[in-house]
Structures are given as C-alpha cells and as structure tokens.
C-alpha cells in the first residue's frame, strides 16, 4: 500500500529525513517510535504534503501511485488520513460543517455523489456514538475549547467518517488519561483494523500499543529507520531507552 524508498527531506533547508525506507501492506499496523526530534512528525507531514517540507531525494508510492506528485487534497481523496499531534482549532466552523465539506470534497474527487445533510448527520451520529461523544459537541466549532482527550476523540470521529485506507496517527496518545487512551485505542481498532486498511502509529511510548497491537515496530533515529522488529521491540525500547538501540 505504502512504499517509502530512501526518503530525504528538509525543513527550512535543514536535512531531517536522511534515507528513510519503509513498506506497509494492507492489513498491517506499524508503529514508529523514536526520540524527540528524530523526524517522526516530519515524516507524517511529508506524507500528507504539508507546505514547507521539501523532499530532496527518494520516492513514495501509495497504492502504486506517486504520492509526492499529488496535492494534499488528492492524497486525502486517495485514502490517506493524518491525525495530528496538536489538532487544529477552527473558530467559526462547526465540526459538522467541516466534516461534511471534507467528506463531500473527497467524494467529489473520487467521482461520487455528495451526501445529503440527512445522510451525513446519520453517519456522523453513528461515529459520534461509537466514540461516546455527544452530538452537541459535533455542532460546536472544531476543537475550540475541547480538552486534550476530547480533541483526540473528535479525531477518531473524523477518521470514522472519512474512512481512510491508511491512517498516520502522530502521537495520538499524547495528553490522554488512561480511560481516553483505551477509548481512542478501541476507536483505532474498530475503524482501521481491517484487511484492506493499514495504520502507521507514531508514538513515544509503549502504552498505546497495549491497546493497538502493532504487527511491526520501527525505531526512527536521526532521520532514518535504524531497527525494525515485532511488538516485542516496543517493550525492549521501553525498558532500555532509545540510546542503546538507535545506533
Ligand atoms: P519528532 O516528531 O521525532 O520529535 P520532528 O519531526 O518534529 O521530530 O522534528 C525533527 C527535527 O526537525 C527537529 O530537530 C526539529 O527542531 C526540526 N524542525 C521541525 N520543524 C521545523 C521547522 N519548521 N523549522 C526548522 N526546524 C524544524
Ligand atoms: Mg516530538
Ligand atoms: Mg513529533
């Protein structure tokens, strides 16, 4: 599904990714762990096409297509979802408006008819219910005044509505208490653990992986993958720290 080969990228002319290669198949959940400043968020931004992140070498294909040639909205329409470490607040735009626009823009890009207001609300209600989120919250401006946990729940509602093929979730566990962590973990499993989907979980800590069991764990250090293994690698990292294992 996703094939990253020898990816080099710079931010403000500073090399951050330095030859990163990673291959993700449908049905797989991958976790990327690594020390602060290793380039984890940069990888997520490069894959989503965020301006200011310049690819200087290497290639990325998504379902056989050149991802780096696609505009950010084309990447989303092709089924890529990025969950941010710090979800944005959008005053003046309700979650319902925002999500309906986003979903219908993706449907249009794919050549599908837009959902009517009624159809959309039904879908939104089902996803909000599944995340234990009150519909009233979905009518409020995007993330404004939401707690850390509510923002992450909201992100899972977004993901459930957009129904991506590949979700890249950057520190979805940061700032969550243990109950919110479980709810979010269950959300990821419910929405994404399917043979035709894949997940790239970016995380500092092992604890989210108690809820979302990865098939593969990778260490990202100094802009490249320095080690790969199974779920046991996450436990080893938790025990030993990154320093020993990164080299
Ligand atoms: P991680 O998510 O692994 O903690 P990041 O990808 O956020 O790491 O950052 C990697 C490196 O890139 C860090 O050294 C960071 O300071 C630098 N960096 C990130 N964004 C910018 C920016 N906009 N301008 C300059 N340097 C940046
Ligand atoms: Mg960081
Ligand atoms: Mg980060």
């Amino acid at each position: 599904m996703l094939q990253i080969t020898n990816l080099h990228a710079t931010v403000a002319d500073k090399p951050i990714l330095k030859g990163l290669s990673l291959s993700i198949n449908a049905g797989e959940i991958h976790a990327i762990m690594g020390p602060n400043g290793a380039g984890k968020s940069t990888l997520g931004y490069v894959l989503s096409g965020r301006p200011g992140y310049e690819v200087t070498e290497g290639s990325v294909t998504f379902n056989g297509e050149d991802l780096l040639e696609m505009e950010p909205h084309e990447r989303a329409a092709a089924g890529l979802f990025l969950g941010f470490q710090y979800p944005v607040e959008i005053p003046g735009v309700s979650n319902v408006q925002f999500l309906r626009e986003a979903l219908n823009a993706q449907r249009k890009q794919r050549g599908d008819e837009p959902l009517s207001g009624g159809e959309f609300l039904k879908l939104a209600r089902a996803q909000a219910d599944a995340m234990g989120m009150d519909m009233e919250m979905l009518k409020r401006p995007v993330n404004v005044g939401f707690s850390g946990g509510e923002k992450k729940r909201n992100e899972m509602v977004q993901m459930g509505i957009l129904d991506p093929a590949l979700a890249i979730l950057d520190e979805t566990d940061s700032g969550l208490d243990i109950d919110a962590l479980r709810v979010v973990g269950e959300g990821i499993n419910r929405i994404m653990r399917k043979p035709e989907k894949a997940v790239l979980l970016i995380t500092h800590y092992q604890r989210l992986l108690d809820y979302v069991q990865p098939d593969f764990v990778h260490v990202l250090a100094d802009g490249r993958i320095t080690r790969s293994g199974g779920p046991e690698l996450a436990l080893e990292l938790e025990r030993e720290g990154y320093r020993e294992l990164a080299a």
Side-chain angles (χ1 to χ4, degrees):
M1 180 182 285
L2 186 76
Q3 181 79 51
I4 306 174
T5 309
N6 189 33
L7 186 64
H8 291 250
T10 60
V11 184
D13 289 330
K14 183 178 162 195
I16 307 291
L17 300 182
K18 303 169 186 171
L20 189 148
S21 297
L22 179 66
S23 171
I24 299 180
N25 297 305
E28 294 176 352
I29 295 186
H30 290 244
I32 287 195
M33 304 179 76
N36 249 322
K40 303 184 298 296
S41 294
T42 299
L43 174 63
Y45 290 138
V46 166
L47 295 177
S48 69
R50 184 170 167 135
Y53 291 76
E54 200 195 340
V55 174
T56 52
E57 204 182 322
S59 65
V60 182
T61 61
F62 182 47
N63 289 326
E65 292 199 52
D66 185 346
L67 187 77
L68 301 177
E69 283 297 308
M70 297 160 84
E71 296 294 328
H73 70 275
E74 294 172 329
R75 299 180 195 203
L80 190 70
F81 178 91
L82 180 70
F84 293 101
Q85 185 170 358
Y86 306 107
V88 289
E89 302 183 2
I90 316 179
V93 179
S94 77
N95 281 293
V96 170
Q97 279 172 293
F98 170 74
L99 285 167
R100 189 173 165 207
E101 295 266 333
L103 179 64
N104 281 337
Q106 292 190 12
R107 292 176 64 89
K108 187 172 176 191
Q109 187 88 24
R110 293 173 189 153
D112 295 333
E113 290 293 311
L115 288 190
S116 70
E119 287 168 325
F120 176 77
L121 277 180
K122 199 173 151 197
L123 173 63
R125 190 166 283 123
Q127 291 300 327
D129 281 353
M131 287 313 295
M133 198 161 123
D134 196 75
M135 257 325 259
E136 286 310 307
M137 285 200 73
L138 275 194
K139 294 178 182 159
R140 282 168 46 185
V142 178
N143 285 325
V144 175
F146 284 24
S147 72
E150 287 168 345
K151 285 179 182 173
K152 296 298 170 158
R153 263 175 217 253
N154 196 29
E155 193 166 67
M156 293 299 108
V157 173
Q158 291 175 10
M159 188 165 83
I161 288 173
L162 297 176
D163 197 25
L166 174 64
I168 300 169
L169 301 172
D170 188 4
E171 299 201 22
T172 280
D173 47 348
S174 72
L176 294 188
D177 63 32
I178 211 74
D179 292 329
L181 192 65
R182 197 193 64 247
V183 169
V184 166
E186 286 169 0
I188 296 170
N189 288 328
R190 175 178 51 82
I191 300 164
M192 297 304 297
R193 195 179 276 288
K194 299 188 176 164
E196 72 280 13
K197 293 177 178 248
V199 179
L200 180 58
L201 282 178
I202 297 174
T203 180
H204 264 303
Y205 301 107
Q206 202 276 331
R207 53 180 205 166
L208 180 64
L209 307 183
D210 288 337
Y211 298 97
V212 185
Q213 269 271 319
D215 302 295
F216 301 95
V217 174
H218 311 276
V219 179
L220 172 51
D222 195 25
R224 60 177 80 85
I225 304 285
T226 53
R227 257 190 86 173
S228 296
E232 74 289 345
L233 180 54
L235 297 167
E236 199 180 329
L237 289 166
E238 187 97 327
R239 249 188 352 259
E240 315 276 336
Y242 292 114
R243 200 177 307 204
E244 300 285 310
L245 293 161

